[in-house]
Amino acid sequence: MQVSRSLFDEVMVPNYAPAPMIPVKGQGSRLWDQSGREYIDFAGGIAVNCLGHCHPALVSALKEQADKLWHLSNTMTNEPALQLAKALVDATFAEKVYFANSGAEANEAALKLARRWAKNEFGEQKSQIIAFKQGFHGRTFFTVTVGGQAAYSDGFGPKPADIVHAEYNNLDSVKALINDNTCAVMLEPLQGEGGIITPTAEFIQGVRALCDQHNALLIFDEVQSGVGRTGELYAYMGLGVTPDILTTAKALGGGFPIGAMLTTTAIAKHLVVGTHGSTYGGNPLACAVGLAAFNTVNSPAVLQGVKEREAVFREHLQALNAKYNIFTEIRGQGLLLGFALNEQYQGKARDFMLAAADEGLLMLVAGPNVVRMAPSLVIPLDDIHQGMALLDKAVAKLVAKA
Ligand SMILES: *Cc1c(COP(=O)(O)O)cnc(C)c1O
């Protein structure tokens, strides 16, 4: 059967608006579409393809597990799930792991656990959840309501209750809301979708202290910032602040769907048998690939390589801006980077992304004013240089039209 982009509009629910081209093959940081046109990939499947496309370690883990065992259900456990859980526990503050299939599901588990913990330890009244404007935590009804853009949760009927929003990097706005009935404060230790906002040390340490003062749990959503993205294994490690619950997904599977919630034994004990679950959570295929991705990323060479590549990206971006004067600042950390467009190009992030795609370079946006990149953590330097040359061409055309 001949597949074309128009088939999407014919058979798919219209909640996405995908690009006109259809990629059919990927290798490393390169993609090819149906007509054989090549693209350099700075988008990385939105911070998912942490080792690029078809990394040999992931392909072989998947193939090996495919011949052994695909699925059991959680009436039984399996070796890959326990191996990945052990790797996560060994590498982080956590003592216990719950597996899900996505970021939203990991966050849903985190929020339900926090509510259950608070109810059991302190009583029904301790249910308030504080989250942040522009924050993003997924699209289930609970997580999207905790997220900081009402537009995403409006229009679906009554929302989950007792969720309030403070301003990111504004400790006073948290102080004004937090009290002894606060059950949890949830945040991204590097806001992704909201425009790539780095937390200040004062803010992140202040939030930790406020949580301690009011017996509230601190939940870090590291779905986008985790698994090497910032150059640390998890962003919290570079901040000197440890959460009570951490969620991880996206890069954890390197392209295979998986999510996980990490926490301590004392908190985890409240999710007793029957309180929560998922048919596919801990799936052997997902965990086998996840283990290969996690072990590959969690090495000094890969993590140090992220910081080296960040420096190369920043140099290219500075040169681009010196030439065309398009942005006010570079945002982000490691290989979650963006540039915030200046006054002249407000609202035009999407135009930059589309112009780059026309030249054969895949980029992302983070809101209307920020052009974002989340490439493979092991992207070859040559692909960075060539991709940036394509971006230069795209920007030259765009600026000429403006
Ligand atoms: C992408 C993302 C999610 C949602 O993950 P899904 O796998 O799409 O459910 C949650 N939180 C953050 C910070 C994200 O970037």
Side-chain angles (χ1 to χ4, degrees), residues 12-285:
M12 297 292 284
V13 167
N15 63 315
Y16 304 118
M21 56 79 164
I22 300 181
V24 292
K25 189 173 133 62
Q27 187 62 57
S29 288
R30 307 250 167 174
L31 274 175
W32 293 269
D33 71 10
Q34 289 172 313
S35 68
R37 184 169 184 211
E38 187 176 271
Y39 297 83
I40 293 179
D41 187 5
F42 284 181
I46 315 188
V48 167
N49 302 317
C50 57
L51 296 169
H53 301 278
C54 296
H55 188 282
L58 306 199
V59 172
S60 89
L62 181 62
K63 284 184 173 164
E64 203 177 297
Q65 189 59 38
D67 282 330
K68 282 190 196 158
L69 185 69
W70 284 30
H71 181 74
L72 287 168
S73 95
N74 283 302
T75 62
M76 277 162 277
T77 190
N78 69 78
E79 290 182 354
L82 296 183
Q83 284 162 343
L84 178 56
K86 181 77 167 85
L88 287 164
V89 163
D90 284 349
T92 66
F93 76 95
E95 298 159 329
K96 292 283 189 282
V97 176
Y98 167 85
F99 284 120
N101 310 293
S102 66
E105 281 181 53
N107 286 334
E108 184 83 17
L111 291 163
K112 284 180 72 179
L113 171 59
R115 281 272 178 87
R116 189 55 75 109
W117 166 87
K119 175 181 165 291
N120 289 351
E121 296 274 349
F122 299 92
E124 291 279 359
Q125 78 291 344
K126 194 173 174 72
S127 64
Q128 186 200 49
I129 290 163
I130 299 176
F132 292 86
K133 289 174 186 159
Q134 309 307 323
F136 184 78
H137 302 295
R139 296 286 200 154
T140 66
F141 205 18
F142 199 170
T143 58
V144 80
T145 306
V146 171
Q149 275 189 277
Y152 290 164
S153 54
D154 287 346
F156 298 102
K159 298 181 186 186
D162 212 5
I163 297 163
V164 293
H165 296 92
E167 276 168 35
Y168 203 78
N169 276 339
N170 179 344
L171 196 57
D172 285 338
S173 75
V174 184
K175 269 185 204 151
L177 292 170
I178 201 165
N179 62 74
D180 288 345
N181 289 336
T182 303
C183 146
V185 177
M186 183 169 201
L187 60 85
E188 297 159 82
L190 173 56
Q191 274 193 340
E193 302 303 308
I196 317 190
I197 312 295
T198 303
T200 64
E202 180 213 4
F203 171 70
I204 205 89
Q205 287 162 13
V207 170
R208 176 70 271 181
L210 285 171
C211 285
D212 293 342
Q213 199 181 323
H214 294 281
N215 289 316
L217 298 181
L218 180 58
I219 305 173
F220 277 2
D221 176 347
E222 293 232 30
V223 169
Q224 187 156 166
S225 61
V227 194
R229 183 56 52 190
T230 63
E232 309 283 343
L233 181 62
Y234 284 97
Y236 85 84
M237 295 171 176
L239 294 169
V241 168
T242 303
D244 301 297
I245 301 176
L246 180 150
T247 57
T248 176
K250 289 202 166 98
L252 183 62
F256 204 97
I258 185 170
M261 174 190 73
L262 316 183
T263 188
T264 64
T265 301
I267 297 166
K269 73 171 192 232
H270 294 281
L271 277 193
V272 298
V273 172
T275 48
H276 193 55
S278 155
T279 294
Y280 282 118
N283 172 273
L285 286 171

Side-chain angles (χ1 to χ4, degrees), residues 311-332:
V312 176
F313 269 104
R314 282 181 181 273
E315 230 171 89
H316 275 294
L317 287 173
Q318 299 290 10
L320 189 75
N321 207 36
K323 208 161 152 189
Y324 299 110
N325 186 27
I326 51 173
F327 62 78
T328 56
E329 59 173 349
I330 299 172
R331 293 190 187 162

